[in-house]
């Protein structure tokens, strides 16, 4: 491998390293987490037992004759179970019947996955009147009609009656409609909907789940925007909003109005639960959205999606929901959506197990990149053949003043022999987008969630073969075998290419061989907490690269024959000097050398 190829590899390694450092889980004390979780759960239970009585608005009094007592009603279909609270007439809890959180998955319990429960969320109207504002979550609504899949709540005020209708559709959709009946004093142009939810922890990789959780919103003109994934942040709508999504790693809640939310009065806030917060170990983040409403004929309607971040499911809505998936940006996202995802889905849809699907996907991608690998190998062989002559030039021009002359002779050597230092670097740069694209694809692929392969019980999480029972700084509290295998194959691949790495000729230049040997060991620390599916892919990919290199070297590229061809080409070039064509780069080098020689002559004078 020539120096430029090595630099290309180092650049890729550094980029992955930066990605890894940014994605590292926080250093959390597990025992303290369990104590805090138990304490928070105890407080939550106590809170439910002592439900507070309704608070009446100072500006308007609810005149409904129903008893002021909090009660929960349930509506459900094959996918969802929704808890509705008569206090506020709002969605209190959401359960996904066909999914489980990691704790239940590990314990083999068939409990429905809870996105949030009573006390974690509210959707309240803030109604403007001539006397002030009414906050509906402080008022009790009457359940006037209910079925297994629908419920209608009403509350009477001096200014009119508020009706909220919930109806489950097929799948993961909940229809939500707000109506103002007999409006006598509500100023609907100033009415907003406050939606807030504290999502519960559902995955094994809690820190990773929290890290990718945020609020996303689709703007009418500029498309998708979102708040920070790593810090508490607020934002104000700059355009009308088509829909708002409370997103976490594998599940989301998306509120889509029939008429877009007007930008005036619409704002968002995402809250991180820092250490010491009562929900720091039980919940992901606090999601808050205040949305202006566009009432038509005294009513506003919405569709609520509560479900998985599955690409095919989100894509089926044709509303841009799939944009919330963190497949990377720009070129990386295009590669994932138009290449990696379709191939992967085709394999999975045909009943191929996830582990084998990843193996076949890797084989397909490596086959597509086979010409690139071939080009890199041939280039590295040519550079190794020229190494003795390059060493002679370095010895011939040891002084810095002769650097330009040395470079020109090297360029002549490359041109006459048919070699190019860039021939090894450019193919590496071609592979880089795919390498980085899959770095985003596998952690975001819903298909991997709670799917096992070999010793890995969940490919979306780390594959621990040994739990320490304590936390080691930087490394973690376990050993991931796929990570060790990935690092091992990378070390072997580095060793096989070490003979092609050039020793630095100038003082102060780093030895690329040392850097390349350090990188596999760095991977052990950075990937230990990553998705097993990702580590497995990189392990298989590197292993295939090694096999391809061995096959190319043994059966397809004859180094001795290539050496003879290069010598013949060089001899022909020397015999026909007029046939030599200088590249623009070489012409510029000659011009720079001429100017440098003139400057040296002027100095001597």
């Amino acid at each position: 491998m020539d120096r430029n190829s090595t630099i290309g590899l180092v650049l890729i390694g550094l980029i992955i390293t930066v990605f890894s450092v940014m994605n590292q889980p926080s250093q959390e004390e597990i025992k303290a987490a369990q104590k805090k979780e138990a304490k928070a759960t105890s407080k939550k239970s106590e809170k439910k037992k002592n439900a507070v009585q309704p608070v009446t608005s100072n500006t308007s009094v609810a005149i409904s004759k129903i008893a002021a007592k909090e009660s929960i009603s349930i509506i459900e279909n094959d996918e969802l179970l929704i808890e509705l609270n008569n206090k506020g007439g709002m969605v209190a809890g959401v359960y996904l019947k066909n999914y489980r959180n990691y704790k239940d998955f590990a314990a083999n319990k068939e409990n429905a996955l809870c996105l949030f429960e009573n006390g974690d969320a509210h959707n309240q109207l803030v109604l403007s009147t001539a006397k002030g504002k009414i906050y509906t979550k402080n008022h009790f609504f009457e359940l006037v009609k209910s079925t297994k899949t629908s419920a209608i709540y009403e509350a009477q005020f001096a200014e009119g009656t508020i009706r909220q209708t919930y109806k489950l559709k097929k799948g993961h959709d909940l229809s939500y409609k707000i109506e103002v009946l007999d409006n006598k004093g509500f100023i609907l142009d100033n009415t907003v909907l406050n939606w807030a939810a504290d999502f519960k922890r559902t995955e094994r990789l809690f820190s990773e789940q929290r890290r990718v959780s945020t609020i996303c919103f689709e703007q009418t003109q500029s498309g998708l925007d979102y708040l920070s994934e790593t810090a508490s942040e607020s934002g104000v709508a700059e355009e009308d909003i088509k829909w708002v999504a409370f997103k976490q790693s594998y599940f989301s809640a998306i509120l889509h109005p029939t008429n877009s939310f007007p930008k005036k009065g619409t704002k968002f806030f995402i809250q991180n639960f820092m250490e010491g917060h009562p929900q720091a170990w039980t919940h992901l983040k606090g999601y808050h959205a205040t949305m202006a409403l566009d009432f038509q004929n005294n009513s506003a309607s919405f569709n609520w999606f509560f479900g998985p971040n599955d690409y095919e499911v989100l894509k089926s809505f044709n509303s841009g929901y799939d944009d919330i998936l963190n497949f990377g940006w720009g070129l990386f996202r295009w590669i994932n959506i138009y290449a990696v995802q379709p191939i992967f889905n085709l394999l999975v849809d045909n009943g191929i197990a996830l582990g084998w699907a990843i193996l076949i996907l890797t084989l397909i991608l490596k086959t597509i990149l086979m010409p690139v690998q071939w080009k890199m190998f041939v280039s590295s062989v040519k550079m190794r053949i020229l190494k003795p002559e390059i060493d002679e030039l370095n010895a011939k021009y040891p002084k810095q003043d002769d650097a330009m002359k040395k470079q020109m002779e090297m360029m002549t050597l490359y041109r006459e022999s048919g070699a190019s230092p860039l021939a090894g670097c450019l193919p590496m740069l071609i592979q880089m987008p795919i390498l980085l694209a899959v770095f985003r694809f596998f952690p975001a692929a819903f298909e991997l969630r709670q799917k096992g392969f070999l010793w890995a019980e969940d490919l979306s999480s780390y594959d621990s073969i040994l739990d320490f029972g304590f936390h080691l700084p930087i490394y973690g509290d376990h050993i991931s075998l796929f990570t060790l295998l990935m690092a091992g194959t990378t070390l072997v691949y580095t060793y096989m290419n070490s003979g092609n790495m050039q020793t630095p000729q100038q003082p102060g230049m780093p030895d690329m061989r040392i850097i390349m040997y350090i990188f596999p060991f760095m991977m052990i620390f950075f990937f230990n907490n990553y998705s097993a599916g990702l580590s497995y892919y990189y392990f298989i990919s590197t292993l295939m690269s090694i096999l391809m290199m061995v096959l190319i070297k043994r059966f397809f590229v004859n180094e001795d024959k290539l050496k003879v061809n290069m010598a013949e080409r060089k001899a022909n070039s020397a015999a026909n000097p007029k046939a030599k064509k200088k590249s623009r780069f070489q012409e510029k080098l000659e011009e720079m050398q001429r100017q440098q020689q003139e400057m040296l002559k002027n100095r001597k004078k």
Side-chain angles (χ1 to χ4, degrees):
M1 181 183 297
D2 59 274
R3 180 180 176 187
N4 289 279
S5 302
T6 305
I7 292 174
L9 275 171
V10 172
L11 287 174
I12 294 174
L14 290 175
I15 292 174
I16 293 178
T17 300
V18 171
F19 272 51
S20 302
V21 172
M22 292 174 63
N23 295 333
Q24 276 297 297
S26 58
Q27 306 296 325
E28 302 167 342
E29 297 294 335
I30 304 301
K31 292 183 180 180
Q34 293 173 343
K35 290 181 180 179
K36 291 185 179 182
E37 183 174 351
K39 186 176 179 181
T41 304
S42 176
K43 287 183 178 180
K44 179 77 74 173
S45 300
E46 190 71 21
K47 183 178 178 181
K48 289 182 178 180
K49 290 179 181 178
N50 302 295
V52 295
Q53 295 300 312
V55 179
T56 305
S57 170
N58 293 326
T59 59
S60 180
V61 179
I63 60 176
S64 175
K65 296 182 180 179
I66 63 172
K69 184 178 180 181
E70 187 173 339
S71 64
I72 298 295
S73 298
I74 292 175
I75 58 176
E76 59 182 315
N77 61 10
D78 293 338
E79 297 286 347
L80 296 174
L81 185 149
I82 307 293
E83 293 181 343
L84 301 172
N85 195 330
N86 69 323
K87 186 180 180 183
M90 57 193 182
V91 176
V94 173
Y95 297 82
L96 280 67
K97 291 183 174 182
N98 296 323
Y99 302 99
R100 295 178 289 172
N101 63 34
Y102 177 76
K103 187 177 292 186
D104 288 335
F105 166 73
N108 200 27
K109 295 180 179 179
E110 296 296 332
N111 297 324
L113 182 144
C114 178
L115 279 185
F116 53 84
E117 60 184 356
N118 188 33
D120 290 337
H122 69 259
N123 54 287
Q124 71 157 343
L125 291 169
V126 181
L127 298 154
S128 296
T129 70
K131 298 178 181 180
K133 294 184 182 296
I134 296 175
Y135 297 85
T136 59
K137 77 171 183 177
N138 296 329
H139 296 274
F140 285 90
F141 282 64
E142 180 182 3
L143 180 61
V144 297
K145 184 179 179 181
S146 67
T147 66
K148 183 181 179 181
T149 59
S150 65
I152 300 176
Y153 287 92
E154 289 185 359
Q156 297 179 13
F157 299 86
E159 294 79 6
T161 300
I162 302 298
R163 175 186 291 172
Q164 299 187 86
T165 303
Y166 299 93
K167 185 176 182 180
L168 278 171
K169 305 176 183 178
K170 291 183 178 180
H172 299 91
D173 293 339
L174 173 66
S175 173
Y176 175 40
K177 186 175 183 180
I178 302 169
E179 297 175 273
V180 180
L181 309 179
D182 302 323
N183 186 9
K184 300 174 183 177
F186 292 123
I187 305 172
L188 297 183
D189 290 342
N190 293 332
T191 299
V192 299
L193 174 64
N194 279 344
W195 177 30
D198 299 340
F199 276 10
K200 294 180 72 67
R201 172 182 181 175
T202 61
E203 308 302 319
R204 183 183 193 180
L205 284 168
F206 184 32
S207 55
E208 176 67 12
Q209 185 184 16
R210 174 175 281 171
R211 189 192 63 79
V212 298
S213 299
T214 189
I215 296 177
C216 303
F217 45 93
E218 180 79 2
Q219 303 170 112
T220 53
Q221 296 180 359
S222 302
L224 185 75
D225 200 357
Y226 55 91
L227 299 184
S228 172
E229 293 181 328
T230 57
S232 297
E233 186 184 16
S234 59
V236 177
E238 297 180 355
E239 301 175 16
D240 291 351
I241 303 299
K242 290 183 178 181
W243 48 260
V244 178
F246 289 178
K247 168 189 171 290
Q248 52 118 309
S249 55
Y250 291 114
F251 299 93
S252 292
I254 304 175
L255 184 62
H256 192 157
T258 302
N259 302 311
S260 298
F261 296 120
K263 66 177 181 179
K264 184 178 181 181
T266 298
K267 54 187 177 181
F268 313 99
F269 174 63
I270 188 76
Q271 177 189 6
N272 275 352
F273 296 142
M274 308 304 292
E275 187 172 352
H277 192 282
Q279 294 176 309
W281 304 99
T282 59
H283 293 70
L284 295 173
K285 293 181 180 180
Y287 300 78
H288 306 269
T290 298
M291 296 155 290
L293 298 181
D294 181 12
F295 278 93
Q296 299 292 327
N297 298 321
N298 290 338
S299 69
S301 57
F302 316 83
N303 184 76
W304 232 323
F305 170 84
F306 299 104
N309 292 339
D310 185 302
Y311 177 79
E312 295 299 329
V313 172
L314 297 177
K315 185 70 175 177
S316 66
F317 285 88
N318 294 318
S319 297
Y321 291 176
D322 54 296
D323 289 340
I324 69 175
L325 298 178
N326 193 4
F327 280 164
W329 51 270
L331 178 62
F332 308 128
R333 185 176 185 85
W334 298 340
I335 291 173
N336 281 328
I337 290 178
Y338 298 113
V340 180
Q341 180 74 41
I343 296 173
F344 190 65
N345 280 351
L346 180 64
L347 297 172
V348 174
D349 292 344
N350 279 280
I352 299 176
L354 264 298
W356 293 107
I358 294 175
L359 175 63
I360 296 172
L361 172 67
T362 310
L363 181 61
I364 292 173
L365 294 178
K366 296 302 290 186
T367 302
I368 293 173
L369 293 174
M370 178 77 166
V372 176
Q373 183 106 10
W374 179 295
K375 187 74 173 178
M376 287 176 57
F377 181 78
V378 172
S379 174
S380 67
V381 172
K382 287 182 177 181
M383 294 303 295
R384 185 167 65 249
I385 292 172
L386 292 179
K387 190 175 184 300
E389 296 181 65
I390 293 174
D391 291 340
E392 289 180 6
L393 288 175
N394 288 325
K396 183 179 179 181
Y397 301 105
K399 297 181 180 180
Q400 186 64 32
D401 293 342
D402 296 327
M404 195 73 66
K405 186 181 294 185
K406 180 177 69 175
Q407 187 64 34
M408 285 187 59
E409 291 200 24
M410 281 189 177
M411 292 297 295
T412 301
L413 176 63
Y414 293 147
R415 178 170 52 82
E416 290 179 349
S417 58
S420 172
L422 295 179
C425 186
L426 290 178
M428 182 62 66
L429 295 177
I430 293 173
Q431 293 186 85
M432 187 187 296
I434 296 178
L435 188 69
L436 297 181
V438 296
F439 184 82
R440 280 300 185 190
F441 175 77
F442 285 109
F446 184 82
E447 293 84 356
L448 268 63
R449 185 179 185 271
Q450 296 182 1
K451 295 296 190 297
F453 181 67
L454 299 178
W455 57 85
E457 63 173 354
D458 183 355
L459 286 171
S460 70
S461 178
Y462 54 81
D463 57 310
S464 176
I465 58 169
L466 177 63
D467 294 322
F468 300 145
F470 54 89
H471 190 276
L472 292 176
I474 303 177
Y475 187 66
D477 59 0
H478 63 277
I479 296 177
S480 296
L481 182 53
F482 276 132
T483 300
L484 293 180
L485 292 173
M486 174 185 64
T489 52
T490 304
L491 186 63
V492 172
Y493 185 73
T494 302
Y495 174 77
M496 293 178 67
N497 285 287
S498 61
N500 303 328
M501 300 180 191
Q502 298 180 21
T503 305
Q505 301 296 324
Q506 299 178 1
M509 290 290 291
D511 192 336
M512 304 302 289
R513 292 173 296 182
I514 296 176
I515 295 176
M516 293 304 295
Y517 275 118
I518 291 175
F519 181 61
F521 292 100
M522 294 169 60
M523 298 172 81
I524 296 175
F525 294 92
F526 293 145
F527 283 83
N528 193 54
N529 286 317
Y530 268 74
S531 156
L534 179 65
S535 299
Y536 171 57
Y537 168 81
Y538 281 142
F539 160 59
I540 294 298
S541 179
T542 309
L543 184 61
M544 288 183 180
S545 294
I546 293 173
L547 293 175
M548 289 169 65
M549 181 178 294
V550 172
L551 291 174
I552 291 173
K553 183 176 182 180
R554 184 165 184 178
F555 298 106
F556 299 101
V557 176
N558 188 319
E559 188 169 336
D560 294 333
K561 186 176 180 180
L562 185 61
K563 188 174 183 179
V564 172
N565 291 339
M566 291 175 65
E568 290 178 353
R569 176 167 177 164
K570 186 177 177 182
N572 291 335
S573 179
N576 300 284
K578 294 183 179 180
K580 297 180 181 179
K581 292 184 179 180
K582 298 179 181 179
S583 64
R584 292 184 179 180
F585 181 68
Q586 189 171 9
E587 290 176 353
K588 289 183 178 180
L589 280 177
E590 289 180 352
E591 178 63 23
M592 291 173 65
Q593 184 190 25
R594 186 185 62 78
Q595 293 177 0
Q596 187 181 42
Q597 290 175 345
E598 289 182 357
M599 290 176 62
L600 290 174
K601 289 179 180 179
N602 292 333
R603 286 179 184 177
K604 292 178 180 179
K605 291 179 179 180

